[in-house]
Amino acid sequence: MEFILANLPRFLEGAWMTIQLALFSCSFGLLMALPIALARLSRKQVLRSAATGYVFFFRGTPLLAQIFLIYYGSGQFRQELSALGLWTFFRDPWFCALLSLTLNTAAYTSEILRGAIQAIPKGEIEAAKALGLNRYLLLRLVILPRAIRIGWPAYTNEVVYQIQATSLVSIITIMDITGVARTVGARDFTFFEAFGLAALLYLVLVYGFIFVAGRIEKRLGAHLIRTAAVNKPKLAGNIR
């Protein structure tokens, strides 16, 4: 208890850093994942090949190697990055950590979305096409709502993995939960207490998110049904 009281403020600061990295990387990764997933399903060979290559690299290499590649590797291109005005970002460990996590989760999330889109019954899509919906309305009113409902459990697991994966960024001096635990443990030779408290905080974050995600999943189906009912009368007016 004495250890917890003495070090809890530092660990809470580390927890806040972990939450920021997980939240921002998942948000930006989700925005990137949709066009990547659509490109993977595209009939155009160029788009499909580019998206496949992106997913192949970021799913096939360790996240730690990607962090090192971006943080340490970017230093070899300092002149080029400075000329583009980007060196200010790449010299910042927080930015490199966020970029690495975002690019990694975008690859995994795009595969979740791709699988969810492919799992939509073809009859639903054909029925929407029969109404004359253009591609944009088909995507917004039919495909995305159904894909979100289908892919939500898998995406919940991806966010959990992302919360845990943030622990790797401590290797580039980011003071997240793991970074604080390493510092405190090395300072006082209290590694068991430090990493025990770190594990407890990760448990709180992970199961806190799982609880919230479960509540969202229960309401998501009903919400999408209500949304579909509201949009149904509007479909005819949007038909070309």
Side-chain angles (χ1 to χ4, degrees), residues 1 15 17 20 25 37 45 57 88 94 120 124 134 137-139 146 166 179 183 188 192 194-195 217-218 222 227:
M1 183 60 67
M17 177 63 71
Q20 288 183 63
S25 63
Q45 183 64 37
F57 176 80
T88 302
W94 189 88
I120 298 174
E124 295 184 17
N134 58 39
L137 290 175
L138 180 64
L139 180 67
R146 291 287 282 126
T166 57
T183 301
D188 302 327
F192 182 83
F195 283 98
E217 184 176 0
K218 289 180 180 180
T227 301

Side-chain angles (χ1 to χ4, degrees), residues 56-209:
F56 177 83
F57 176 80
F58 283 99
R59 290 186 69 198
T61 57
L63 176 57
L64 184 60
Q66 296 166 21
I67 293 172
F68 283 163
L69 186 65
I70 292 175
Y71 182 64
Y72 293 111
S74 61
Q76 295 182 227
F77 305 96
R78 178 173 180 174
Q79 292 183 352
E80 291 81 359
L81 292 172
S82 297
L84 295 172
L86 297 176
W87 177 244
T88 302
F89 298 102
F90 281 90
R91 66 188 292 184
D92 182 6
W94 189 88
F95 174 82
C96 291
L98 178 61
L99 180 61
S100 303
L101 292 169
T102 299
L103 295 176
N104 183 270
T105 192
Y108 283 92
T109 305
S110 69
E111 287 298 278
I112 294 172
L113 284 174
R114 183 177 67 89
I117 291 173
Q118 290 179 322
I120 298 174
K122 294 183 179 180
E124 295 184 17
I125 297 177
E126 293 301 324
K129 288 181 178 179
L131 291 173
L133 295 181
N134 58 39
R135 292 183 179 180
Y136 171 74
L137 290 175
L138 180 64
L139 180 67
R140 184 171 69 88
L141 299 179
V142 179
I143 295 177
L144 281 184
R146 291 287 282 126
I148 291 172
R149 181 66 182 86
I150 294 170
W152 182 256
Y155 184 66
T156 298
N157 291 333
E158 170 59 20
V159 176
V160 168
Y161 164 78
Q162 195 71 356
I163 294 173
Q164 298 170 347
T166 57
S167 62
L168 295 175
V169 304
S170 63
I171 203 69
I172 57 172
T173 72
I174 299 295
M175 295 302 289
D176 66 325
I177 294 175
T178 302
V180 172
R182 290 175 60 187
T183 301
V184 171
R187 183 194 64 193
D188 302 327
F189 294 99
T190 52
F191 290 103
F192 182 83
E193 293 88 343
F195 283 98
L197 181 55
L200 180 61
L201 289 174
Y202 280 116
L203 282 172
V204 171
L205 292 180
V206 166
Y207 283 99
F209 171 75

Side-chain angles (χ1 to χ4, degrees), residues 206-224:
V206 166
Y207 283 99
F209 171 75
I210 289 175
F211 174 77
V212 173
R215 299 291 296 271
I216 293 174
E217 184 176 0
K218 289 180 180 180
R219 297 184 179 184
L220 192 57
H223 174 72
L224 293 177

